[in-house]
């Protein structure tokens, strides 16, 4: 696997609006990734309806017939239209529920522009951010666990892997009881935290 997927970003937007506009039905020629940070969006992709809620992601491959319905409520979302490097395929389901981590939110917050700009290496920065997001989606799908507390627990373990890690330390950092952390981790990951 290469260390990156993205060849080019064709469109980017990071918006917070009172009601989103509709997108007419059209076959897309690139990958389309939408991340819902707040609110919800409703899409039809190849005739199937998908409702994306807060923290959901949708990845549509080239050739998908896509349509978005008009929304009337406040929604914050990020959208990327992009091409991948030749020979790369993204083995990510169309919709991944509850997958947007705090790390992804932080990265999107660091890139303050709401649309693609020719200035300040914005396309290059976005390519790196998008590669990170795609790897996060692949991780979530690979481990088949997108429970937000498990993601936090795994990050704590990764960040402290060289140190002595205790169940109490992990529980304190995720603001849950030791017993619940032990139960949740064993149930979702199949091993103990320690």
């Amino acid at each position: 696997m290469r260390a990156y997927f993205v060849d080019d970003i064709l469109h980017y937007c990071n918006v917070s609006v009172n009601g989103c506009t509709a997108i007419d039905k059209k076959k897309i020629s690139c990958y389309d990734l939408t991340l819902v940070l707040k609110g919800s969006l409703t899409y039809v992709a190849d005739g199937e309806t998908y409702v994306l809620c807060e923290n959901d992601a949708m990845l549509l491959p080239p050739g998908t017939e896509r349509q978005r319905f008009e929304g009337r409520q406040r929604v914050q979302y990020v959208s990327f239209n992009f091409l991948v490097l030749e020979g790369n395929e993204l083995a990510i389901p169309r919709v991944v529920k509850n997958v947007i981590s705090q790390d992804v939110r932080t990265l999107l917050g660091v890139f303050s522009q709401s649309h693609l700009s020719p200035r300040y290496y914005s396309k290059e920065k976005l390519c790196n951010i998008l590669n990170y997001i795609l790897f996060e989606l692949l991780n979530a799908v690979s481990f088949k666990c997108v429970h937000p507390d498990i993601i936090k627990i795994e990050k704590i373990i990764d960040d402290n892997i060289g140190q002595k890690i205790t169940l109490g330390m992990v529980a304190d950092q995720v603001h849950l009881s030791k017993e619940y952390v032990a139960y949740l981790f064993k149930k979702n990951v199949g091993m103990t935290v320690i």
Side-chain angles (χ1 to χ4, degrees):
M1 179 186 300
R2 294 184 179 163
Y4 48 88
F5 292 103
V6 180
D7 184 33
D8 193 15
I9 294 182
L10 308 173
H11 172 77
Y12 164 79
C13 71
N14 183 339
V15 294
S16 181
V17 292
N18 284 323
C20 66
T21 58
I23 297 176
D24 292 334
K25 188 187 301 186
K26 179 182 175 186
K27 190 172 277 199
I28 58 175
S29 59
C30 59
Y31 279 93
D32 181 351
L33 174 66
T34 302
L35 308 168
V36 177
L37 304 177
K38 288 185 182 170
S40 65
L41 295 170
T42 303
Y43 282 87
V44 174
D46 291 334
E48 193 166 337
T49 302
Y50 299 94
V51 177
L52 303 178
C53 299
E54 186 171 328
N55 293 323
D56 292 348
M58 172 181 255
L59 179 67
L60 301 176
T64 302
E65 189 174 74
R66 175 205 64 192
Q67 176 182 8
R68 183 175 73 200
F69 292 116
E70 180 180 358
R72 299 189 192 282
Q73 298 176 345
R74 183 144 198 86
V75 64
Q76 181 181 3
Y77 66 96
V78 176
S79 178
F80 293 91
N81 295 150
F82 63 99
L83 302 172
V84 298
L85 292 164
E86 190 174 323
N88 279 337
E89 271 191 45
L90 297 172
I92 299 171
R94 275 201 171 152
V95 174
V96 184
K97 295 295 213 177
N98 201 25
V99 73
I100 301 173
S101 67
Q102 188 57 47
D103 289 347
V104 169
R105 286 177 175 275
T106 300
L107 266 178
L108 293 170
V110 167
F111 190 83
S112 60
Q113 297 175 19
S114 61
H115 290 83
L116 200 55
S117 165
R119 299 178 61 182
Y120 310 114
Y121 300 102
S122 70
K123 193 177 260 196
E124 292 79 2
K125 290 175 186 176
L126 277 172
C127 280
N128 286 305
I129 290 170
L130 179 54
N131 276 308
Y132 183 91
I133 292 169
L134 293 171
F135 277 111
E136 287 289 298
L137 290 174
L138 280 170
N139 277 340
V141 170
S142 296
F143 295 114
K144 295 182 175 64
C145 177
V146 293
H147 190 288
D149 291 327
I150 295 296
I151 293 169
K152 291 175 192 174
I153 293 166
E154 288 177 335
K155 177 148 178 43
I156 291 166
I157 293 169
D158 287 345
D159 290 349
N160 296 286
I161 200 70
Q163 302 169 28
K164 182 179 178 187
I165 300 171
T166 67
L167 183 59
M169 179 192 92
V170 173
D172 286 346
Q173 289 189 35
V174 292
H175 309 292
L176 298 169
S177 74
K178 291 190 297 187
E179 294 79 13
Y180 184 68
V181 168
Y183 162 78
L184 188 66
F185 199 80
K186 178 75 171 175
K187 178 182 175 207
N188 286 278
V189 180
M191 62 180 72
T192 67
V193 171
I194 303 307

